[in-house]
């Protein structure tokens, strides 16, 4: 039996969903490569600005239907920022206290948005400790630790219910190549990749899922070794994707291929993408674009035609002071020039030079 508050909370989330529009599938015109169609699933246009809007809705519904969240239950999350923004939005919708445990290096704009939705930010020095701190805080507050890194892969209805995969395939239905060769995404929790991989198998499509990974994340090595004890210090340098340790929601068996992307390549890619479509995306979208270019180059080498979809994860405005800032790049000792040249050459004539 459901309690009246939980019933109202679910109705409020459903009404919010009914008021919302889906995100666009934007074509990137690659004029030199007419036989290749590249699309961006622009998740930055969700009301809370990222693909995590879908996840936050799923996590709240999952927690409510499991009986984990009730009236006045404080909700706590460990996040690199985007999930916390979206969860703060839903917590406010339901009138629940919300606490985000995040790395101190999280962009100030993300912190501002969480606070704007009434959430409280708890900053930690070591990003590997975020889940530990969140769990502890939840116990102290007698709250619910949402734990996206565990529940992302199972909270989403991967068979449909307008999940990101279903939305992409529906939006491609009138295109020349309606079944893409590749879908390209990064992995934070790994939940998006799992949803895509499961949906594609469920529907019997030939599409493959490629996960791109920042240079210091452990996911790429885990994918190849299946050693779940892998651990590295520090953040990934690309907010939202890459982790210093293997997380439970990252399911390598749902992924067909992985590419490791240098962070400088991601920072260069968001600039090239801006030239192509006139819009700034965040670093993880650059990682996707850099990986997509490599996949396209391989398709061209094999004489293949077809389409690819990459995720546009969040907006570049969150990173004006970092990834888009020349001084910040210099302070980090990052030279994006070789990658700009590599990507420009690729866009101009389809040749990928390593
Ligand atoms: C900003 C951001 N957050 C998170 C993710 C990853 O999503 P997930 O947590 O589902 O793996 C991405 C992925 O591409 C991203 O760009």
């Amino acid at each position: 039996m459901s309690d009246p508050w939980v019933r109202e909370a679910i109705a409020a989330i459903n009404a919010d969903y009914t008021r919302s529009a889906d995100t666009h599938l934007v074509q990137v015109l690659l004029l030199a490569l007419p036989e290749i169609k590249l699309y961006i699933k622009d998740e930055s246009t969700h009301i809370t600005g990222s693909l995590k809007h879908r996840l936050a809705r799923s996590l709240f519904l999952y927690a409510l239907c499991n009986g984990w969240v009730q009236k006045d239950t404080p909700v706590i999350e460990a996040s690199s920022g985007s999930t916390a923004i979206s969860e703060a939005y839903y917590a406010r919708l339901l009138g629940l206290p919300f606490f985000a445990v995040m790395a101190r290096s999280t962009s100030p704009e993300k912190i501002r948005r969480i606070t704007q939705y009434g959430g409280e930010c708890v900053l930690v020095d070591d990003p590997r400790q975020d889940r530990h701190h969140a769990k502890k805080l939840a116990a102290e507050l007698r709250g619910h630790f949402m734990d996206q890194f565990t529940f992302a892969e199972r909270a989403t209805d991967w068979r449909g219910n307008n999940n990101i995969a279903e939305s992409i395939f529906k939006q491609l239905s009138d295109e020349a190549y309606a079944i893409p060769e590749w879908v390209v995404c990064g992995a934070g929790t790994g939940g998006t990749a799992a949803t895509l991989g499961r949906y594609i198998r469920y529907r019997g499509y030939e599409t493959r899922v490629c996960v791109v990974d920042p240079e210091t994340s452990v996911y790429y090595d885990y994918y190849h070794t299946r050693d779940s004890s892998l651990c590295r210090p520090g953040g990934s340098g690309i907010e939202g994707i890459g982790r210093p340790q293997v997380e439970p929601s990252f399911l390598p068996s749902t992924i067909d291929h992985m590419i490791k992307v240098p962070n400088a390549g991601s920072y260069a890619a968001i600039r090239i993408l801006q030239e192509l479509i006139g819009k700034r995306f965040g670093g993880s979208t650059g990682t996707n674009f850099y990986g997509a270019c490599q996949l396209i180059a391989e398709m061209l080498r094999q004489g293949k035609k077809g389409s690819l979809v990459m995720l546009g994860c969040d907006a570049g405005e969150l990173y004006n002071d970092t990834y888009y800032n020349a001084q910040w790049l210099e302070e980090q000792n990052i030279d994006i020039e070789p990658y700009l040249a590599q990507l420009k050459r690729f866009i101009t004539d389809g040749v990928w030079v390593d």
Side-chain angles (χ1 to χ4, degrees):
M1 199 189 79
S2 67
D3 106 9
W5 183 86
V6 170
R7 225 174 306 153
E8 271 176 36
I10 292 170
I13 293 176
N14 286 336
D16 179 79
Y17 180 69
T18 306
R19 291 193 297 272
S20 306
D22 199 0
T23 59
H24 301 285
L25 190 65
V26 179
Q27 188 174 353
V28 183
L29 287 176
L30 301 170
L31 295 177
L33 315 172
E35 303 298 353
I36 300 290
K37 308 293 176 199
L38 175 64
Y39 303 89
I40 299 183
K41 179 62 172 164
D42 184 359
E43 293 286 286
S44 74
T45 62
H46 284 293
I47 195 150
T48 58
S50 82
L51 79 175
K52 295 298 188 171
H53 196 74
R54 292 180 198 270
L55 174 64
R57 174 173 167 266
S58 297
L59 286 168
F60 268 94
L61 288 171
Y62 192 65
L64 288 163
C65 293
N66 283 337
W68 294 342
V69 167
Q70 281 147 359
K71 189 174 188 307
D72 298 329
T73 305
V75 174
I76 296 95
E77 183 62 289
S79 170
S80 71
S82 301
T83 306
I85 297 173
S86 303
E87 287 176 343
Y89 170 87
Y90 283 105
R92 194 182 65 163
L93 187 74
L94 307 186
L96 297 172
F98 178 73
F99 300 83
V101 179
M102 302 186 297
R104 200 170 296 286
S105 58
T106 306
S107 72
E109 178 56 19
K110 286 187 181 172
I111 293 170
R112 192 190 66 73
R113 290 190 191 185
I114 294 163
T115 314
Q116 191 185 10
Y117 287 131
E120 207 171 295
C121 299
V122 180
L123 302 178
V124 296
D125 290 318
D126 183 351
R128 285 174 302 181
Q129 295 297 318
D130 55 359
R131 281 181 74 214
H132 170 74
H133 282 282
K135 214 170 166 178
K136 217 169 114 214
L137 184 62
E140 280 164 25
L141 298 172
R142 293 173 171 270
H144 174 64
F145 174 31
M146 204 62 119
D147 198 2
Q148 58 163 333
F149 290 103
T150 298
F151 295 110
E153 58 91 359
R154 69 194 81 160
T156 300
D157 294 333
W158 52 269
R159 292 178 198 83
N161 189 12
N162 195 32
N163 70 38
I164 190 166
E166 185 179 54
S167 169
I168 288 171
F169 281 88
K170 201 166 137 209
Q171 289 176 323
L172 280 171
S173 60
D174 288 337
E175 298 303 303
Y177 305 108
I179 307 298
E181 291 282 318
W182 291 100
V183 179
V184 187
C185 69
T189 63
T192 304
T195 300
L196 289 164
R198 285 168 171 161
Y199 182 83
I200 286 165
R201 283 185 195 151
Y202 179 60
R203 298 302 300 260
Y205 297 138
E206 296 283 319
T207 307
R208 284 171 289 171
V209 175
C210 174
V211 169
V212 288
D213 205 33
E215 57 195 29
T216 60
S217 168
V218 296
Y219 284 147
Y220 180 88
D221 289 343
Y222 173 59
Y223 182 72
H224 292 286
T225 63
R226 304 291 155 109
D227 175 2
S228 58
S229 69
L230 288 170
C231 201
R232 298 228 177 96
S236 72
I238 307 289
E239 281 187 36
I241 61 167
R243 289 290 288 171
Q245 72 256 323
V246 178
E247 303 294 355
S249 266
F250 181 81
L251 305 179
S253 59
T254 60
I255 297 164
D256 297 293
H257 183 56
M258 283 194 73
I259 297 176
K260 196 183 253 300
V261 175
N263 288 356
S266 299
Y267 306 144
I270 47 178
R271 289 164 167 79
I272 301 292
L273 200 54
Q274 186 182 356
E275 283 174 21
L276 286 171
I277 62 168
K279 174 168 178 164
R280 281 190 172 189
F281 278 103
S284 62
T285 307
T287 318
N288 292 341
F289 183 53
Y290 193 89
C293 290
Q294 286 190 44
L295 293 171
I296 293 170
E298 185 55 30
M299 284 172 68
L300 294 171
R301 268 196 295 275
Q302 295 172 357
K304 278 190 178 168
K305 305 170 179 179
S307 64
L308 303 86
V309 177
M310 52 166 273
L311 300 198
C313 306
D314 62 1
E317 283 66 29
L318 290 165
Y319 310 99
N320 280 344
D321 295 337
T322 51
Y323 311 151
Y324 284 97
N325 181 333
Q327 195 187 332
W328 181 86
L329 290 174
E330 211 177 305
E331 282 163 13
Q332 311 295 311
N333 229 350
I334 292 170
D335 179 13
I336 62 169
E337 288 304 325
Y339 296 97
L340 285 173
Q342 183 187 40
L343 287 161
K344 274 184 190 153
R345 168 96 198 264
F346 173 72
I347 298 302
T348 314
D349 57 21
V351 176
W352 185 263
V353 184
D354 277 318

